Amino acid sequence: DAGVIQSPRHEVTEMGQEVTLRCKPISGHNSLFWYRQTMMRGLELLIYFNNNVPIDDSGMPEDRFSAKMPNASFSTLKIQPSEPRDSAVYFCASSFSSNQPQHFGDGTRLSIL
Amino acid sequence: GIQVEQSPPDLILQEGANSTLRCNFSDSVNNLQWFHQNPWGQLINLFYIPSGTKQNGRLSATTVATERYSLLYISSSQTTDSGVYFCAVSGAGSYQLTFGKGTKLSVIP
């Protein structure tokens, strides 16, 4: 079975540019999570979707960040405009339900110059 | 929110040695997972273990929910076991996984 699929694996761009990260959850999973990993703050939850509906976006750092889940098999995390402090590894995870084990994608390593 | 503490922060082992990693948490949990982050950055699920004991090859884990801790055992360590091991928990009624700071394991030949 395919796991959680993220793209791109790596992204390098200049500050001010728009960045879009993509995620395909495991088929049949109704919960989707976006996390960010940095050396300073470790792994942090950015946003949680249940049945394609955003339930908790309290972890989204600021208005430059937005996330969508137009259907059960696709989600995006967008940063506009990007800043160097957004450089991090962004993970998408999905689970069968909110309190079941979460399965992580391979992450997107984002570098903003 | 729930607090997660992992120990030790760093561990160096000779290949073939055994080790125990510990995870303490501050409140009741409905989800506890152990992950291995390999040198390529991938987060690999090891165990989903909110209570009880599980084994998978050379790895096993035990969670004592009433005493709020979990242990990860690695036996006959191999160089491929190197990386960072994370414990992550979510409290009762919550969906949010809170991660510990991890144990960085280095297995040397």
Side-chain angles (χ1 to χ4, degrees):
Chain A
D1 288 341
V4 176
I5 299 172
Q6 291 187 245
S7 65
R9 287 296 312 277
H10 304 273
E11 175 89 11
V12 180
T13 192
E14 293 185 347
M15 66 176 294
Q17 297 298 306
E18 178 179 290
V19 173
T20 300
L21 312 181
R22 297 173 175 80
C23 175
K24 177 179 169 55
I26 293 172
S27 178
H29 283 190
N30 70 5
S31 295
L32 184 139
F33 308 82
W34 282 99
Y35 290 87
R36 179 170 68 175
Q37 185 178 31
T38 60
M39 289 293 292
M40 291 294 293
R41 300 174 66 91
L43 275 148
E44 301 175 289
L45 178 67
L46 298 178
I47 188 167
Y48 160 55
F49 290 88
N50 185 262
N51 291 321
N52 313 339
V53 176
I55 302 300
D56 180 1
D57 65 355
S58 59
M60 296 285 264
E62 47 197 276
D63 292 345
R64 298 184 296 106
F65 285 69
S66 62
K68 293 183 179 179
M69 192 165 185
N71 57 61
S73 59
F74 184 65
S75 176
T76 59
L77 178 68
K78 187 174 293 187
I79 308 172
Q80 167 63 20
S82 57
E83 297 183 3
R85 61 192 167 123
D86 302 330
S87 298
V89 181
Y90 291 80
F91 287 99
C92 176
S94 72
S95 63
F96 182 72
S97 65
S98 60
N99 63 350
Q100 290 298 302
Q102 295 183 23
H103 300 266
F104 282 70
D106 287 346
T108 294
R109 185 172 297 274
L110 178 64
S111 298
I112 308 296
L113 306 178
Chain B
I2 197 165
Q3 305 295 313
V4 182
E5 292 186 2
Q6 290 187 244
S7 59
D10 296 279
L11 185 59
I12 299 175
L13 294 178
Q14 200 78 37
E15 198 169 22
N18 303 328
S19 63
T20 301
L21 282 57
R22 188 175 179 102
C23 172
N24 292 334
F25 43 94
S26 61
D27 207 342
S28 302
V29 299
N30 65 3
N31 182 359
L32 189 148
Q33 291 181 249
W34 283 98
F35 295 91
H36 174 215
Q37 187 162 38
N38 63 24
W40 295 270
Q42 296 170 311
L43 272 170
I44 310 299
N45 268 314
L46 297 177
F47 295 101
Y48 167 71
I49 189 166
S51 64
T53 297
K54 292 185 177 179
Q55 180 155 6
N56 184 2
R58 297 181 296 104
L59 303 182
S60 63
T62 294
T63 297
V64 184
T66 53
E67 297 189 20
R68 298 182 183 169
Y69 72 88
S70 183
L71 302 174
L72 177 69
Y73 305 96
I74 303 174
S75 64
S76 304
S77 59
Q78 300 175 359
T79 55
T80 51
D81 295 331
S82 296
V84 182
Y85 289 80
F86 288 102
C87 171
V89 306
S90 61
S94 174
Y95 48 81
Q96 179 166 346
L97 273 182
T98 299
F99 283 78
K101 294 184 177 181
T103 292
K104 183 177 180 180
L105 175 64
S106 301
V107 181
I108 55 176

